[in-house]
Amino acid sequence: MTDSKYFTTTKKGEIFELKAELNSDKKEKKKEAVKKVIASMTVGKDVSALFPDVVNCMQTDNLELKKLVYLYLMNYAKSQPDMAIMAVNTFVKDCEDLNPLIRALAVRTMGCIRVDKITEYLCEPLRKCLKDEDPYVRKTAAVCVAKLHDINAQLVEDQGFLDTLKDLISDSNPMVVANAVAALSEIAESHPNSNLLDLNPQTINKLLTALNECTEWGQIFILDCLASYLPRDDRESQSICERVTPRLSHANSAVVLSAVKVLMKFMEMLPKDLDYYGTLLKKLAPPLVTLLSAEPELQYVALRNINLIVQKRPEILKHEMKVFFVKYNDPIYVKLEKLDIMIRLASQANIAQVLAELKEYATEVDVDFVRKAVRAIGRCAIKVEQSAERCVSTLLDLIQTKVNYVVQEAIVVIKDIFRKYPNKYESVIATLCENLDSLDEPEARAAMIWIVGEYAERIDNADELLESFLEGFHDESTQVQLQLLTAIVKLFLKKPTETQELVQQVLSLATQDSDNPDLRDRGYIYWRLLSTDPVAAKEVVLAEKPLISEETDLIEPTLLEELICHIGTLASVYHKPPSAFVEGSRGVQHKRLPPRAGSGESTESPDVGQSGPSEAPPAVIPSQGDLLGDLLNLDLAPPTATVPSVQPSMQMGAMDLLGGGLDSLVCSSPAMGAGLGAAPAAMPASLGSAPAVGGGLGDLFDLGGGVGMPTGSYVAPKTVWLLAMKAKGLEISGTFARRGGIIQMDLSLTNKAMSVMTDFAIQFNRNSFGLAPAGPLQVLTPLSPNQTIDVSLPLSTSGPVMKMEPLNNLQVAVKNNIDVFYFSCQYPLSLLFVEDGKMDRQVFLATWKDIPNDNEAQFQIKDIHLNSDVASNKLQGSNIFTIAKRTVEGQDMLYQSVKLTNGIWVLAEMRIQTGNPNYTWMCWRRPHVRECVSQNDSPVIS
Amino acid sequence: MIGGLFIYNHKGEVLISRVYRDDIGRNAVDAFRVNVIHARQQVRSPVTNIARTSFFHVKRSNIWLAAVTKQNVNAAMVFEFLYKMCDVMTAYFGKISEENIKNNFVLIYELLDEILDFGYPQNSETGALKTFITQQGIKGQHQTKEEQSQITSQVTGQIGWRREGIKYRRNELFLDVLESVNLLMSPQGQVLSAHVSGRVVMKSYLSGMPECKFGMNDKIVIDKQGKGGTTDEPGKSGKQSIAIDDCTFHQCVRLSKFDSERSISFIPPDGEYELMRYRTTKDIILPFRVIPLVREVGRTKLEVKVVIKSNFKPSLLAQKIEVRIPTPLNTSGVQVICMKGKAKYKASENAIVWKIKRMAGMKESQISAEIELLPTNDKKKWARPPISMKFQVPFAPSGLKVRYLKVFESKLNYSDHDVIKWVRYIGRSGIYETRC
């Protein structure tokens, strides 16, 4: 019998033919036809049109045919609910059949048909099947309760099925127990607070008995359920452990891992001075090692879990280093994981072996693997001090190979070694410098620059080296730019006489020509430091850095504890809590390890568990030497209050920049708002009432108060974007703001429905300026009824671009556990004015002349009672910069420039006549932008 | 739990698609094809997360099996299930191939319906499944009530792997002790690492529900008995026993009994299955020793001499011996002289492959080769990969001995003595390498 022929029928008119065959009198022909239908269904063809014909075949005594029809029903019933009802009778009848296999089949299939009307009819047969005399029917019915709960939870509760299910835990048949446990565990997950499982010593005892008798899968369900139990004391915990340990010898790796989970969890409660504690530790190692001889996919799961176990209890596997050595034939995912564990287990005792292995790996083919191996050598050096020298020489050998990515990776780790052992291995710097030209990855370049800056006094041509990087400053990534800035400042502080020019160059590059706020901020801080107090600068910049910790990439202890509770599951594979990848209410619960055993904690013997991260969490400092972190510890308050005094000895040009530049630096600290806020404070309050729709500009001046406004940028009040009645109770109001160079969307989410809302996510349609969320929507807690949450969503402008009508229209989709909702809103264009929109005077003049007349537009803004200076100040807060000012016949003319995030410049002239300001806005090249700017800006100014 | 299960051919066409949960849509089928099967690079992980949906996959020849879920499932269980699924299919229709899957798609759907309910794995022992899922499918109607309840109690019962009423005219069992011995040795002959991973595979053709007890020379058991005062001389038995690092058992073995008494008792499945797996690292008999000698003559020539010594009883014969001697990448020519077997330089594999059909114990054999090299300006030294070896020997390198396998069947009239038992030991090379 070859069924493959059913896959090959692709004729036209097939459906009609099938219809005829399905209604044929001959049984064989009917069956053939149903097979063809199923084959078509498998490959994705829509055969739902045949629904009534297929269902007609259901009344048969041929079991195989019946199963095929059921399969069809499960697939299509949802799309044809009215016709599906035709099947109910057969189901109900089958549930009474003499053959237990048919009874079970009927109840199993019925549960898979997600049609409300059918569900109603399911209750009675299900109730009978739960009490069936045959265990096969009972075990199927137990799972069916979980199915029904997924469709209609309320119904399951009302019908009392949960209690019947609980009773099945005491069933005489182990498989019924196992399935009941599985079903209850799943239902309990969606009721986090209910005490559904109600585990107590009696039920635990029943489960442990069933554990010995049921199938391998059943053992997994039971063990996973046991893991959620909290024993009352250490004795109960020990007795459970004793009964679970035999599972460690099971051939099924999942049984072993689930048993390990239970033991790891309950061990927490055992006093450490107990003999049994030591025995248990010893018993855990061999099965974990054995898991590594399983098939590669399982090895991968096991290794991800061992990675967690090693972090939690390093003593278990400390002698088993060798088994993690990489084999030539291992798949790459296994190799990478083994490498990780090797580093975690590296110690003085085994370091020689480990290094020899790592050196071998560094000559392999797979680039990722080689990189990780090189990095691992560096981590060994940091972890085991005695081996550092050998590691460094190994790394030097590898650099000699001149393999590009090996060299780059080696330099990155050598930087970390320098941070751990300062002034010890600088003899290698010469070799590193030889490879300067071959570095093309930002991380390696940054590392190299850091090394040069750090050891500038010992490198004769440090200034030349750094200068060579400076040439292409703007093409470098931020990481490199920041590092270069710091390195040159270090160099200047060490060799002030020869490097003045260099430092001025880099400071002006960083502060004037860059639009990266981090870089500019750091540039200003240095500039300020150097100009006010070089001695302090030296203390700050050349301060002794904290040593980096030996343990890098450790999982944060609370997360680790949670993951230990999820051993064997996807969470332990991803190393993420379930809430990070599971939708809906499931998995929102955070699991915790049981509280530690009180006794023995203090009398803990030194050799056991001393290295457990949970007891003495080492201070984890990121190994990527990020100097900004060190710098930010500075107290910025004093310098902001004092007027910058010029140090004559510094002989710096362009000092005026300091003044102007600092002002914007100052804006980022709330205390300094006064500088901007002083003039507007005098504003008549009535101005605030200017039209606010679409981002009323008038409010810009309300800033006068300056309260709580971190930057000078104007923020419109929130307007309602999404009505509750249109969005099943979710109301969204919001506005846009630009703070410290970052565009933010401020949202207020209000739940006006009756039920809790969770799982918020947001997405934008393509829009004119490529606005897109820069991160996920952070609604951490569920939104309960009548609650309002304010969130601020940072936006980037790197999203896909599509012209919208109007230009500043933004279409937004917000999703929660209930549905997806769409709305659109308009953002003020001032949102897109970037901070470095101040055009050079000369350039401005030249461009102004070039603007064609038809690109010019004029707008009038009325009822402004401001003088030109105040207005100009105010506009600067919104990144509309006044380049020049002219007074002609009592009229003030302000020439202004604005730069949009997508690099378009807008130039404007503003005429102000006392009492009746009249504005002319002109912009170049993009007429549609112009219109929009005008619409937007009128509010900004008035 | 598992939300759906798909089987694809190498082109990514769906052969089987069964969805168990409402949260898995038809688009999941395509997502996996696009992101994994048609992905350009090599598979970087057997678990893939695409749009909050997790895909677990295994590959058998060019067939992809993928399990899909949106929940935090037990990942180890999902993979174990996929392997089991492959075993079941193989037991039903042989090799897993596109043709076989298409030919048996109805059967596969029937199996999937039975062994996975709402994504929860159910009894998946082929022994039990074959009693009621048959390719004829009509059997259901002709069963008596007793037969039916027998099936259901077997599927759900404690001994799901064996059906009642098995009868053999000749009660017979075969035990194969299959070991693979792994070695890494330094050029000076020092053992860097060595371990044996072994399996005990049993073929049982026994009537009824036989209770079996398996005994081997496990050190812990022997020592216990030694204390009890058996006739064995303690010193002697101590030598013959072996220390087992770890072992795992087929689900038929009563684990709690092993844990408490270290005795291995079980009711075996019918036919072939793997009774246990084990690992040892102490006192391993290394069947061969490789003594390499590499001499660089100038910059363009290498002289290699390799001696292999067999280290077991002279009466035993090792088979299928193969020694692989790596050569540098810039080799231009090789001359080989060997006393026994055949040796060939394989340029495509960068190695000299020396094959010997048979070799008795306590013998030695030698190969010498002259390797001519092209002069290169490559500064990088040749890394000298290790010399590897393959072989098969008729004993267990771990020293494991089967002491007994007792069969008790109280209901039928045959006793332990009537059962014909066969034991065979096969030792194979795993990764058996000597650095040079």
Side-chain angles (χ1 to χ4, degrees):
Chain A
M1 179 174 83
T2 57
D3 288 348
S4 59
K5 60 174 185 265
Y6 302 118
F7 281 88
T8 52
T9 50
T10 50
K11 289 176 284 182
K12 278 186 185 170
E14 192 190 356
I15 297 276
F16 286 105
E17 238 168 75
L18 282 173
K19 214 178 178 81
E21 285 174 41
L22 284 170
N23 292 316
S24 154
D25 297 333
K26 288 181 192 145
K27 274 187 183 173
E28 263 318 297
K29 204 154 196 183
K30 255 190 190 176
K31 201 164 120 185
E32 296 282 286
V34 176
K35 278 189 183 177
K36 278 184 204 162
V37 172
I38 300 290
S40 307
M41 192 177 86
T42 300
V43 296
K45 272 184 227 161
D46 184 15
V47 283
S48 58
L50 296 167
F51 199 91
D53 309 282
V54 178
V55 174
N56 272 337
C57 304
M58 196 172 164
Q59 286 269 17
T60 171
D61 47 5
N62 183 320
L63 202 55
E64 193 188 5
L65 180 57
K66 191 173 244 158
K67 282 183 179 174
L68 287 173
V69 175
Y70 281 178
L71 190 64
Y72 179 91
L73 264 176
M74 285 187 261
N75 254 303
Y76 287 114
K78 219 176 163 185
S79 58
Q80 312 252 349
D82 293 329
M83 290 213 253
I85 215 86
M86 300 190 328
V88 167
N89 244 337
T90 322
F91 279 126
V92 176
K93 216 176 90 196
D94 279 359
C95 284
E96 309 267 331
D97 198 282
L98 281 178
N99 188 339
L101 292 172
I102 292 183
R103 292 202 295 277
L105 178 67
V107 78
R108 185 165 68 210
T109 313
M110 241 175 137
C112 295
I113 297 177
R114 304 176 64 94
V115 174
D116 281 341
K117 284 179 197 156
I118 292 202
T119 323
E120 287 165 26
Y121 291 98
L122 175 61
C123 291
E124 275 324 299
L126 178 59
R127 196 186 316 283
K128 263 185 218 157
C129 288
L130 279 167
K131 302 221 160 102
D132 200 284
E133 51 167 20
D134 195 293
Y136 183 79
V137 181
R138 289 202 301 277
K139 73 113 185 162
T140 312
V143 177
C144 191
V145 176
K147 290 178 189 170
L148 188 57
H149 185 268
D150 194 38
I151 304 169
N152 190 341
Q154 196 57 45
L155 187 69
V156 171
E157 276 170 50
D158 296 346
Q159 296 278 335
F161 285 138
L162 292 180
D163 293 320
T164 325
L165 202 53
K166 274 189 211 169
D167 293 343
L168 288 184
I169 290 190
S170 317
D171 199 279
S172 57
N173 185 292
M175 194 155 176
V176 178
V177 179
N179 276 3
V181 166
L184 275 174
S185 304
E186 179 168 340
I187 295 171
E189 251 179 59
S190 47
H191 295 271
N193 301 320
S194 72
N195 197 15
L196 242 182
L197 267 164
D198 188 29
L199 293 174
N200 54 48
Q202 285 76 40
T203 45
I204 290 292
N205 196 32
K206 280 176 201 157
L207 292 183
L208 286 167
T209 314
L211 187 62
N212 287 324
E213 295 167 347
C214 61
T215 65
E216 43 193 335
W217 315 116
Q219 294 184 19
I220 299 168
F221 306 152
I222 292 178
L223 286 169
D224 284 351
C225 171
L226 273 179
S228 61
Y229 176 63
L230 190 69
R232 281 181 301 188
D233 50 27
D234 52 326
R235 289 175 73 186
E236 192 187 1
S237 167
Q238 178 176 346
S239 81
I240 296 175
C241 286
E242 278 166 358
R243 292 178 71 178
V244 167
T245 37
R247 297 298 120 200
L248 294 175
S249 304
H250 203 286
N252 187 315
S253 307
V255 175
V256 177
L257 267 178
S258 291
V260 169
K261 165 164 60 191
V262 175
L263 296 175
M264 282 292 286
K265 220 179 151 184
F266 289 6
M267 250 173 117
E268 205 71 5
M269 294 184 73
L270 298 177
K272 289 197 165 172
D273 43 4
L274 196 72
D275 285 343
Y276 183 70
Y277 181 83
T279 322
L280 204 53
L281 277 183
K282 275 192 209 119
K283 275 195 174 173
L284 276 170
L288 288 175
V289 173
T290 300
L291 289 177
L292 298 183
S293 46
E295 272 132 307
E297 291 88 2
L298 267 173
Q299 274 187 54
Y300 174 73
V301 174
L303 284 165
R304 293 293 283 177
N305 280 288
I306 289 173
N307 197 330
L308 298 173
I309 294 168
V310 165
Q311 288 184 58
K312 180 76 189 151
R313 297 191 181 277
E315 62 272 29
I316 294 177
L317 287 166
K318 68 179 171 198
H319 299 302
E320 302 289 350
M321 172 61 94
K322 274 188 189 171
V323 298
F324 297 103
F325 285 176
V326 169
K327 287 185 195 141
Y328 182 75
N329 292 330
D330 283 337
I332 181 69
Y333 49 82
V334 169
K335 284 185 177 173
L336 292 172
E337 292 308 315
K338 280 188 172 171
L339 205 51
D340 250 347
I341 296 169
M342 279 172 69
I343 301 162
R344 295 215 194 281
L345 291 177
S347 66
Q348 205 184 330
N350 55 25
I351 193 74
Q353 263 184 320
V354 174
L355 265 183
E357 284 291 313
L358 292 176
K359 206 177 164 184
E360 293 274 310
Y361 304 162
T363 60
E364 284 223 20
V365 194
D366 191 285
V367 178
D368 284 350
F369 182 59
V370 170
R371 281 171 178 274
K372 201 163 182 179
V374 175
R375 205 161 272 224
I377 297 175
R379 278 168 68 185
C380 286
I382 290 163
K383 200 171 170 199
V384 186
E385 190 166 354
Q386 293 82 352
S387 74
E389 196 156 348
R390 215 168 345 166
C391 293
V392 171
S393 76
T394 309
L395 288 169
L396 281 181
D397 286 350
L398 290 172
I399 290 178
Q400 300 297 354
T401 62
K402 304 271 178 201
V403 179
N404 189 285
Y405 53 85
V406 173
V407 173
Q408 309 215 34
E409 207 63 46
I411 285 178
V412 173
V413 291
I414 285 179
K415 181 205 73 187
D416 288 348
I417 297 178
F418 281 161
R419 279 210 66 182
K420 170 81 180 183
Y421 311 109
N423 305 324
K424 223 172 157 187
Y425 299 108
E426 59 274 28
S427 54
V428 307
I429 293 175
T431 322
L432 302 185
C433 290
E434 286 166 22
N435 292 288
L436 213 61
D437 300 333
S438 64
L439 308 180
D440 53 11
E441 289 162 22
E443 207 185 347
R445 287 173 83 84
M448 191 64 222
I449 292 168
W450 183 87
I451 293 171
V452 174
E454 191 65 18
Y455 294 94
E457 69 273 31
R458 288 174 232 196
I459 304 172
D460 295 335
N461 60 345
D463 48 346
E464 285 169 34
L465 293 177
L466 293 176
E467 204 171 353
S468 69
F469 282 103
L470 208 54
E471 283 161 17
F473 189 76
H474 288 297
D475 303 328
E476 300 283 3
S477 73
T478 315
Q479 193 184 10
V480 181
Q481 289 176 334
L482 286 168
Q483 218 43 271
L484 196 55
L485 173 62
T486 306
I488 291 178
V489 171
K490 281 186 196 162
L491 173 71
F492 173 71
L493 289 169
K494 286 175 179 172
K495 301 180 181 172
T497 45
E498 310 129 51
T499 54
Q500 274 171 25
E501 229 172 89
L502 195 61
V503 84
Q504 278 179 23
Q505 210 182 333
V506 76
L507 285 176
S508 74
L509 278 172
T511 52
Q512 283 173 277
D513 301 344
S514 164
D515 53 2
N516 181 308
D518 289 343
L519 187 63
R520 282 190 332 179
D521 283 358
R522 197 189 279 195
Y524 282 128
I525 290 168
Y526 283 145
W527 201 322
R528 186 83 182 223
L529 261 175
L530 292 174
S531 57
T532 46
D533 189 353
V535 184
K538 216 162 187 166
E539 275 172 30
V540 170
V541 180
L542 302 180
E544 214 165 286
K545 281 166 279 298
L547 294 183
I548 57 171
S549 141
E550 56 189 52
E551 288 292 350
T552 46
D553 320 342
L554 275 182
I555 293 176
E556 186 257 326
T558 46
L559 176 61
L560 181 63
E561 298 219 336
E562 189 180 353
L563 292 179
I564 289 284
C565 301
H566 288 294
I567 282 178
T569 67
L570 263 181
S572 72
V573 174
Y574 292 147
H575 288 186
K576 283 180 194 162
S579 51
F581 59 93
V582 176
E583 285 172 359
S585 54
R586 290 179 212 279
V588 171
Q589 274 172 289
H590 289 279
K591 295 198 177 176
R592 287 274 163 270
L593 285 177
R596 307 227 80 239
S599 61
E601 181 82 341
S602 46
T603 58
E604 189 180 301
S605 58
D607 58 325
V608 207
Q610 49 159 3
S611 37
S614 62
E615 284 126 40
V620 182
I621 296 170
S623 56
Q624 318 299 346
D626 188 352
L627 276 171
L628 189 57
D630 308 346
L631 273 167
L632 284 182
N633 290 334
L634 287 172
D635 188 1
L636 271 176
T640 50
T642 52
V643 180
S645 61
V646 184
Q647 294 276 328
S649 62
M650 306 290 285
Q651 293 178 335
M652 274 200 214
M655 242 1 184
D656 60 325
L657 217 163
L658 256 191
L662 265 179
D663 271 357
S664 61
L665 177 71
V666 149
C667 287
S668 61
S669 97
M672 304 305 287
L676 239 189
M683 288 288 306
S686 63
L687 270 183
S689 59
V693 192
L697 219 230
D699 314 85
L700 213 161
F701 283 168
D702 273 352
L703 229 202
V707 210
M709 287 294 179
T711 70
S713 164
Y714 153 78
V715 180
K718 285 181 181 169
T719 47
V720 176
W721 285 338
L722 182 67
L723 289 170
M725 49 191 287
K726 282 190 180 169
K728 302 188 180 168
L730 176 66
E731 187 186 84
I732 298 180
S733 58
T735 184
F736 294 92
R738 188 176 181 94
R739 298 192 183 99
I742 295 164
I743 306 175
Q744 284 178 323
M745 183 178 195
D746 294 347
L747 296 167
S748 294
L749 309 173
T750 310
N751 183 354
K752 297 199 168 169
M754 301 303 284
S755 59
V756 176
M757 295 178 181
T758 54
D759 296 299
F760 286 96
I762 194 163
Q763 221 168 15
F764 293 173
N765 195 359
R766 286 195 270 176
N767 53 70
S768 316
F769 291 93
L771 280 178
L777 188 62
Q778 300 279 350
V779 184
L780 299 172
T781 45
L783 188 58
S784 37
N786 282 325
Q787 194 193 353
T788 301
I789 296 187
D790 288 326
V791 276
S792 210
L793 178 73
L795 306 183
S796 72
T797 50
S798 52
V801 176
M802 183 176 81
K803 198 191 152 192
M804 298 294 292
E805 205 55 54
L807 200 62
N808 56 343
N809 197 21
L810 181 66
Q811 295 177 334
V812 184
V814 169
K815 191 189 86 100
N816 63 9
N817 57 333
I818 298 167
D819 208 334
V820 184
F821 312 108
Y822 302 92
F823 61 87
S824 68
C825 54
Q826 295 182 356
Y827 46 89
L829 217 63
S830 59
L831 199 64
L832 302 162
F833 298 169
V834 295
E835 276 74 2
D836 62 351
K838 189 163 187 165
M839 198 179 248
D840 186 86
R841 255 168 205 261
Q842 302 301 322
V843 182
F844 185 90
L845 261 174
T847 324
W848 185 260
K849 283 181 193 150
D850 287 342
I851 301 177
N853 278 342
D854 49 3
N855 269 10
E856 192 177 299
Q858 277 200 17
F859 307 94
Q860 291 215 344
I861 304 163
K862 290 180 182 155
D863 290 338
I864 300 277
H865 307 277
L866 285 177
N867 67 36
S868 58
D869 287 347
V870 177
S872 140
N873 254 337
K874 206 157 246 314
L875 289 169
Q876 180 153 352
S878 287
N879 295 331
I880 303 170
F881 298 94
T882 306
I883 308 292
K885 184 184 159 186
R886 202 149 66 114
T887 313
V888 183
E889 299 162 359
Q891 250 188 356
D892 281 339
M893 321 261 278
L894 299 178
Y895 293 93
Q896 297 167 318
S897 76
V898 167
K899 189 184 170 191
L900 298 176
T901 45
N902 54 1
I904 293 178
W905 286 90
V906 180
L907 307 185
E909 181 190 55
M910 179 159 100
R911 287 183 213 146
I912 303 174
Q913 237 170 0
T914 340
N916 182 17
N918 178 8
Y919 285 66
T920 312
W921 281 87
M922 306 160 87
C923 86
W924 59 293
R925 273 178 219 154
R926 303 269 173 106
H928 50 270
V929 176
R930 179 190 60 202
E931 281 161 33
C932 217
V933 168
S934 58
Q935 284 165 14
N936 259 281
D937 277 25
S938 46
V940 173
I941 294 166
S942 63
Chain B
M1 280 305 116
I2 298 174
L5 205 141
F6 308 128
I7 303 181
Y8 301 85
N9 66 8
H10 66 286
K11 285 186 243 163
E13 291 164 353
V14 198
L15 303 178
I16 298 286
S17 121
R18 177 77 162 92
V19 174
Y20 293 94
R21 297 269 174 153
D22 204 36
D23 53 5
I24 303 297
R26 182 84 200 177
N27 52 0
V29 186
D30 304 321
F32 182 77
R33 175 185 25 246
V34 172
N35 290 288
V36 181
I37 302 183
H38 290 173
R40 293 255 170 84
Q41 343 93 306
Q42 195 193 353
V43 175
R44 297 312 262 199
S45 161
V47 186
T48 323
N49 195 320
I50 307 164
R52 293 204 148 211
T53 311
S54 299
F55 294 81
F56 299 75
H57 74 264
V58 299
K59 238 188 132 179
R60 289 288 180 271
S61 63
N62 54 13
I63 296 294
W64 299 75
L65 281 94
V68 196
T69 182
K70 283 207 165 186
Q71 299 174 23
N72 181 30
V73 297
N74 188 322
M77 185 189 79
V78 176
F79 280 122
E80 283 284 4
F81 177 79
L82 287 174
Y83 301 147
K84 192 58 150 214
M85 177 75 204
C86 294
D87 291 348
V88 171
M89 288 197 290
T90 315
Y92 266 95
F93 52 76
K95 196 174 162 270
I96 296 177
S97 64
E98 181 172 352
E99 201 192 348
N100 278 347
I101 287 174
K102 279 185 170 174
N103 279 339
N104 294 285
F105 82 97
V106 174
L107 170 75
I108 295 174
Y109 276 125
E110 204 175 333
L111 285 170
L112 280 176
D113 197 39
E114 185 58 44
I115 59 179
L116 208 52
D117 189 7
F118 202 40
Y120 289 104
Q122 304 292 308
N123 194 331
S124 48
E125 287 300 317
T126 25
L129 288 173
K130 279 190 171 171
T131 57
F132 67 106
I133 295 187
T134 54
Q135 276 161 305
Q136 279 72 45
I138 320 148
K139 216 175 162 183
Q141 285 80 54
H142 307 298
Q143 285 162 336
T144 62
K145 205 171 176 232
E146 286 72 43
E147 275 171 347
Q148 284 165 2
S149 72
Q150 207 177 48
I151 289 170
T152 56
S153 75
Q154 192 207 332
V155 174
T156 58
Q158 296 178 23
I159 310 162
W161 52 88
R162 189 180 179 93
R163 61 191 169 89
E164 300 243 10
I166 297 172
K167 277 208 179 76
Y168 286 102
R169 216 190 302 155
R170 201 159 95 127
N171 288 298
E172 202 171 14
L173 64 86
F174 299 83
L175 274 179
D176 281 346
V177 177
L178 307 171
E179 295 196 339
S180 83
V181 51
N182 300 277
L183 169 76
L184 186 62
M185 194 176 251
S186 77
Q188 291 74 35
Q190 188 193 355
V191 176
L192 297 175
S193 77
H195 77 270
V196 167
S197 55
R199 307 187 293 144
V200 178
V201 175
M202 182 172 175
K203 272 180 231 158
S204 71
Y205 305 105
L206 301 169
S207 312
M209 293 300 251
E211 181 68 42
C212 296
K213 216 175 159 188
F214 175 66
M216 54 187 180
N217 56 343
D218 179 2
K219 195 164 187 291
I220 298 172
V221 178
I222 304 269
D223 287 358
K224 228 191 248 169
Q225 287 174 348
K227 272 181 215 154
T230 43
T231 49
D232 278 343
E233 201 179 309
K236 198 182 156 198
S237 66
K239 247 183 207 167
Q240 284 177 350
S241 64
I242 62 161
I244 292 174
D245 288 25
D246 186 39
C247 47
T248 59
F249 296 100
H250 184 265
Q251 60 165 322
C252 65
V253 176
R254 293 183 189 91
L255 293 179
S256 40
K257 222 167 173 186
F258 177 74
D259 196 56
S260 56
E261 303 162 27
R262 222 170 157 89
S263 74
I264 303 165
S265 61
F266 53 95
I267 295 172
D270 193 40
E272 183 173 334
Y273 72 101
E274 188 179 284
L275 175 65
M276 72 178 279
R277 273 174 192 240
Y278 57 93
R279 197 159 43 79
T280 73
T281 46
K282 288 203 189 77
D283 302 322
I284 293 166
I285 307 160
L286 297 169
F288 284 96
R289 195 167 154 209
V290 178
I291 305 154
L293 202 75
V294 181
R295 208 160 64 95
E296 286 178 38
V297 189
R299 294 196 54 194
T300 55
K301 205 168 150 190
L302 270 180
E303 277 181 13
V304 180
K305 198 171 110 179
V306 177
V307 180
I308 56 167
K309 284 185 179 172
S310 58
N311 179 32
F312 45 86
K313 272 193 228 157
S315 57
L316 299 174
L317 272 181
Q319 285 180 304
K320 298 176 186 166
I321 300 146
E322 182 185 307
V323 183
R324 183 172 285 261
I325 305 160
T327 56
L329 298 176
N330 54 339
T331 303
S332 61
V334 178
Q335 270 129 41
V336 202
I337 308 160
C338 58
M339 304 185 327
K340 230 182 151 191
K342 277 180 191 162
K344 236 186 204 169
Y345 166 61
K346 294 194 173 165
S348 58
E349 294 163 39
N350 285 313
I352 300 167
V353 180
W354 176 25
K355 286 183 179 168
I356 305 170
K357 273 190 185 144
R358 260 175 233 98
M359 188 166 170
M362 305 315 271
K363 288 262 163 55
E364 70 173 67
S365 191
Q366 177 182 315
I367 185 172
S368 45
E370 276 186 18
I371 303 170
E372 276 167 44
L373 304 174
L374 290 170
T376 55
N377 44 12
D378 197 358
K379 276 180 222 150
K380 201 181 152 191
K381 259 187 89 186
W382 177 47
R384 284 202 187 179
I387 295 174
S388 59
M389 208 182 158
K390 283 183 195 163
F391 55 79
Q392 185 177 319
V393 289
F395 61 89
S398 69
L400 183 129
K401 288 261 155 45
V402 176
R403 288 170 64 222
Y404 55 80
L405 199 147
K406 292 176 191 152
V407 181
F408 310 96
E409 168 53 277
S410 46
K411 285 180 195 151
L412 298 172
N413 54 350
Y414 73 92
S415 73
D416 188 37
H417 299 289
D418 304 328
V419 180
I420 306 160
K421 301 171 189 169
W422 307 85
V423 181
R424 182 164 65 154
Y425 298 91
I426 299 172
R428 289 200 185 96
S429 53
I431 296 165
Y432 203 84
E433 292 178 336
T434 309
R435 292 191 176 151
C436 61

